[in-house]
Amino acid sequence: MNAVMAELATLPAKGISRIIIDIGANLDPIQSPGNDTLVLAIEPVVHAGIRRHPRLLVVPAAVSDSDGVANMSVYSSRGGASRQEASSLSPLRTANGEMQIGSQLPVPLLSASRMFASIPKEMSVVLLKTDTQNHDFSIVRATGDALRRVRRIKNEVDLKAGVAGGYVNQSNDICNDFMPYMSRRGFVLTCLITGRHSQQIVLARNPEHLEAFCSRRQRNTGTRWANTANVAGTNRSAGLPRWWGDAYWTRHDLLTTGSCDPCSCVGRRALRA
C-alpha cells in the first residue's frame, strides 16, 4: 500500500492531471475517461482480481478516519464485504477457491486524510465515489476540509431511517446525515436514484426534491412510506425496490445549466472536468 501511495507523487510528471477516487471498487472499478486521468481504486478484499490498466492504481485497503487494521465480513462470493468488529476469523475461501460467505478477514485501513495528502495539490479530483456498505458517510466526514478539492461525489446512501441497508452500528442516512453535511460543505444534490439499471427510480433531481422526499419520509414511516415514495418531478408514486440508493453531488461553484437532465446523464457528468 505504501508504494502505491508514494507513486501518486509521480503522476504530474507523467502528464496525469486528474484523478478519480473509487472507494469500494470491488472487481469493476471506474474506467479512466482519458490519458490525463488516473483511477485510484481502493479495494480491501478482491484487489488481486482487478484487471490492471496503465491509468489504474489499486490500493489493497479500506478507507477510514485513521490508519490501522479492521476485520471485514464477506457477504458474497465476489468478495463484497462490510467492516465489522470481530473476535475470531473463519476460513476465507471454499474448496473451489471462492470467497466464503460469512468469513471474516483483517484488512489494512488507510485514513482519508493520508489518502488526500498523497495526491499532489495540482491534480484535480474529478470524482470521489464510495460504495462501502454503510461506511460512506463516515468516509466523507473523515475527509474533512480536503473535500473542497473534490468536484463531484457519488455515495451509496440509506433511504429509510433505521434500516441502515442491513448493516449495524453505522449511520449512513440520506436525510439525517448526508443532506445537512453536504450542504454545509458546499455540495448540491443533482440526483438520487434507487433500483438497478432499467428499473431505476428517480427520487430527487435537486435539493428541493430531496427536502420534499425527506419530509414525506418523516410523515410516512414504515411500510406505508415504501409504497408511497413519490418519483421526483412527477405526481406518480412507486414502491422502493431497495432500502438504499445512489446520491450524486456537485460542488456548488461548478453547477452549470445544460440540456442534459442530471439523473439521466450522471455518469457522463461525473467524469467531465
Side-chain angles (χ1 to χ4, degrees), residues 9-23:
T10 69
L11 296 178
K14 299 176 181 178
I16 297 177
S17 59
R18 312 188 329 155
I19 189 167
I20 294 169
I21 304 173
D22 188 348
I23 302 177

Side-chain angles (χ1 to χ4, degrees), residues 195-223:
R196 291 189 179 276
H197 308 300
S198 61
Q199 296 181 335
Q200 286 182 342
I201 298 173
V202 176
L203 300 175
R205 300 176 186 272
N206 53 49
E208 292 74 24
H209 285 163
L210 179 58
E211 289 181 7
F213 170 85
C214 293
S215 295
R216 286 192 301 273
R217 193 186 73 171
Q218 187 174 9
R219 294 194 303 267
N220 302 289
T221 57
T223 304

Side-chain angles (χ1 to χ4, degrees), residues 116-187:
F116 272 92
S118 300
I119 300 172
K121 295 292 186 183
E122 61 267 37
M123 293 190 68
S124 173
V125 183
V126 180
L127 174 68
L128 170 64
K129 169 248 173 182
T130 66
D131 184 356
T132 57
Q133 283 67 57
N134 230 54
H135 286 265
D136 303 72
F137 181 66
S138 65
I139 290 172
V140 169
R141 186 171 52 188
T143 300
D145 290 340
L147 209 62
R148 291 179 296 195
R149 298 183 59 187
V150 181
R151 299 174 68 87
R152 292 175 177 84
I153 300 175
K154 175 188 176 184
N155 307 116
E156 186 178 72
V157 299
D158 291 332
L159 299 175
K160 184 175 185 296
V163 172
Y167 306 102
V168 296
N169 301 325
Q170 285 294 327
S171 183
N172 201 52
D173 186 69
I174 181 62
C175 300
N176 300 328
D177 298 320
F178 278 98
M179 184 170 69
Y181 185 82
M182 297 300 275
S183 178
R184 291 197 302 270
R185 286 294 181 178
F187 282 83

Side-chain angles (χ1 to χ4, degrees), residues 43 48 51 58 60-61 75-76 100 103 107 112 123 170 216 226-227 237 250 257 268:
E43 170 51 50
R51 180 178 295 182
V58 179
Y75 64 84
S76 79
Q100 180 170 305
S103 62
V107 300
M123 293 190 68
Q170 285 294 327
R216 286 192 301 273
N227 293 329
S237 295
T250 298
T257 57
R268 190 162 70 251

